[in-house]
Amino acid sequence: MTTNTIMPTYYNQMQVSFEYGRGVWLWDNENNQYLDSLAGIAVCGLGHAHPAITRTITEQASKLLHTSNTYTIRNQAELAEKLTRIADMEQAYFCNSGAEANETAIKLARLYARKKDISDPVIITMKHSFHGRTMATLSASGTERIQTGFEPLVKDFVYVQLNDIAELEAAVQQYKKDIVAIMLEPIQGDGGIQIASGDYLTRVRQICDTNDYLMILDEIQTGMGRTGKWFCHQHFTIQPDVLTVAKALGNGVPIAACLARGKACNLFGPGKHGSTFGGNPFVCAVGSTVIDTMKSENILDNAASIGTYLIQQLKSTLSRYPGVIDVRGKGLMIGVELDKPCMQLTNLGLKYRLLFNVTFNKVIRLLPPLIINQHEADEIVKRLDQCLAEYYA
Ligand SMILES: *Cc1c(COP(=O)(O)O)cnc(C)c1O
């Protein structure tokens, strides 16, 4: 089914259309069953049709969906408590998408610049980063493909290579007085599962402390248990000043947040920012249930242990293909890098009933639901092996 009443913004959109799901499984309109190793791009951490989520959605929908931020929203206050506690942050602002959360972080940095009397503030971001599709967030993303056609860009983002401390220090020397923030993903998702080293994150933190910059971490993809901790930076001993969260926070219900601590708190005064839908009673009830369920079902431990197991199984099984040059990841955020572009592989995935995508042209990205068990993990390895066997035959 194709339609030209939808703007064709997604390339290689697949013909398959899903009717229902349960756990890590999806069924299409011909009742074929697929193993979902993408989870709607790291959104459905608790899988599909999780009973606790379904219960909250139906209960809250029968009570109240929306009132606007003209009024106090109890569910929002409760979620802010829970979210700031698991993230060890102090304040939350709620919005509806990852791009909006990052837009909020960038606006916070601009206000911080005003406070410091910097008139043309520079924000350092990473090459190959992805922060969203609004004008400020696409300008922040060091990825030409995302920016082309939308110039003029929002000014004064400076891009450096992830994990290259010398390049970062050189940029800091060059723009020193004008820099207001350093913004990065602890693991670049769309950039091909590139993992920031502990040394690099520690150095960013030091530079931000020494120079009074904001450290902004975009954990939209890496957060909410994906890497085996609530947030990826919790694998290290650093804490950001600003943290953005989205994707898995609502398990499919659109909700996002920008969190702040310390010097990043209270920068927005009344009237400085806002959202009609942001943090409404409905989405916040779901967000709270996501956190409660991840706790009660030990989802973080599962993501950590199944993730370690899956990476190890993928390494041993796929090493026989000379074209597979790396398997890397943290928890259940995993990339299998090939030596050549392999965008067509997703179609072979459909044939073997395995859902994944390819980022950075040649990195198979696996982001299964965090509830996955060992048997299902084995099934991912088996099906991906079948795909690659046929691909290289
Ligand atoms: C998905 C993503 C975004 C953008 O989120 P949207 O909800 O699509 O606006 C930003 N940053 C990262 C790291 C992401 O993975």
Side-chain angles (χ1 to χ4, degrees):
M1 187 176 63
T2 53
T3 168
N4 49 23
T5 54
I6 292 174
M7 293 190 193
T9 56
Y10 301 99
Y11 52 100
N12 298 328
Q13 192 174 43
M14 302 205 197
Q15 293 292 307
V16 66
S17 176
F18 297 103
E19 292 294 320
Y20 60 97
R22 184 155 299 269
V24 300
W25 302 94
L26 282 170
W27 283 262
D28 71 11
N29 47 13
E30 288 163 0
N31 224 24
N32 299 307
Q33 184 179 349
Y34 299 77
L35 178 51
D36 184 4
S37 193
L38 188 61
I41 318 185
V43 166
C44 305
L46 295 171
H48 303 285
H50 190 292
I53 302 295
T54 306
R55 192 179 321 117
T56 294
I57 287 175
T58 49
E59 280 176 11
Q60 187 62 43
S62 68
K63 281 201 297 198
L64 186 64
L65 292 179
H66 181 85
T67 57
S68 91
N69 286 288
T70 309
Y71 309 101
T72 300
I73 300 173
R74 184 172 51 80
N75 291 354
Q76 189 184 118
E78 277 175 20
L79 178 58
E81 278 294 321
K82 289 179 185 175
L83 194 54
T84 52
R85 187 159 310 143
I86 62 172
D88 198 12
M89 300 293 283
E90 293 171 47
Q91 292 183 331
Y93 167 82
F94 289 101
C95 47
N96 316 289
S97 67
E100 273 179 89
N102 284 334
E103 189 83 17
T104 304
I106 293 165
K107 285 179 74 175
L108 274 181
R110 288 283 176 98
L111 287 181
Y112 197 58
R114 294 300 97 83
K115 204 169 161 177
K116 294 179 42 161
D117 263 336
I118 299 173
S119 52
D120 294 306
V122 167
I123 299 179
I124 295 184
T125 64
M126 302 295 131
K127 292 171 184 166
H128 311 301
S129 56
F130 179 74
H131 297 297
R133 302 283 193 165
T134 62
M135 280 310 303
T137 58
L138 73 83
S139 302
S141 305
T143 305
E144 227 180 72
R145 162 180 66 80
I146 290 167
Q147 299 177 335
T148 305
F150 302 106
E151 300 85 354
L153 301 181
V154 174
K155 285 203 314 167
D156 294 337
F157 289 97
V158 170
Y159 315 105
V160 298
Q161 184 66 40
L162 181 70
N163 288 336
D164 185 337
I165 291 179
E167 191 184 358
L168 174 65
E169 287 172 345
V172 169
Q173 276 315 313
Q174 190 178 347
Y175 300 99
K176 208 169 176 99
K177 288 273 174 294
D178 289 323
I179 297 170
V180 69
I182 303 176
M183 175 174 186
L184 73 162
E185 304 152 85
I187 301 177
Q188 293 184 337
D190 289 47
I193 314 293
Q194 298 296 344
I195 305 171
S197 69
D199 285 352
Y200 192 75
L201 291 172
T202 305
R203 188 73 189 111
V204 170
R205 183 66 268 177
Q206 281 170 350
I207 290 173
C208 289
D209 287 340
T210 310
N211 298 284
D212 192 22
Y213 305 156
L214 296 178
M215 179 172 181
I216 303 174
L217 280 184
D218 176 348
E219 292 239 32
I220 286 165
Q221 196 163 145
T222 52
M224 297 306 296
R226 176 53 54 188
T227 70
K229 303 259 187 200
W230 284 112
F231 295 95
C232 185
H233 73 268
Q234 293 167 339
H235 289 280
F236 312 101
T237 52
I238 53 134
Q239 187 66 12
D241 304 298
V242 179
L243 177 68
T244 55
V245 191
K247 292 200 161 87
L249 178 57
N251 210 62
V253 169
I255 178 171
C258 176
L259 309 180
R261 68 186 263 278
K263 58 193 180 188
C265 289
N266 298 316
L267 289 171
F268 286 128
K272 284 292 187 192
H273 200 39
S275 163
T276 298
F277 294 137
N280 80 20
F282 179 70
V283 295
C284 289
V286 177
S288 275
T289 299
V290 167
I291 293 175
D292 294 345
T293 307
M294 285 189 171
K295 283 182 186 161
S296 66
E297 296 187 2
N298 278 323
I299 295 296
L300 304 188
D301 291 345
N302 192 65
S305 62
I306 302 286
T308 303
Y309 173 78
L310 182 53
I311 291 171
Q312 173 223 316
Q313 293 300 106
L314 287 165
K315 277 188 172 151
S316 58
T317 308
L318 305 183
S319 62
R320 66 190 168 92
Y321 301 104
V324 174
I325 58 172
D326 196 21
V327 177
R328 59 177 175 266
K330 238 191 213 338
L332 287 168
M333 183 164 183
I334 301 170
V336 177
E337 181 167 348
L338 306 195
D339 59 352
K340 291 192 190 71
C342 61
M343 298 299 284
Q344 335 77 281
L345 254 178
T346 49
N347 288 316
L348 268 180
L350 286 189
K351 177 170 170 188
Y352 291 102
R353 308 279 191 246
L354 178 67
L355 306 177
F356 56 84
N357 77 355
V358 172
T359 60
F360 215 65
N361 282 321
K362 56 191 180 79
V363 180
I364 299 165
R365 176 168 53 172
L366 302 172
L367 301 164
L370 309 178
I371 53 165
I372 190 170
N373 64 33
Q374 187 169 324
H375 168 71
E376 292 156 342
D378 287 335
E379 202 54 41
I380 291 180
V381 179
K382 184 175 135 199
R383 292 180 189 208
L384 192 57
D385 188 26
Q386 289 171 325
C387 289
L388 288 171
E390 180 166 335
Y391 185 67
Y392 286 121

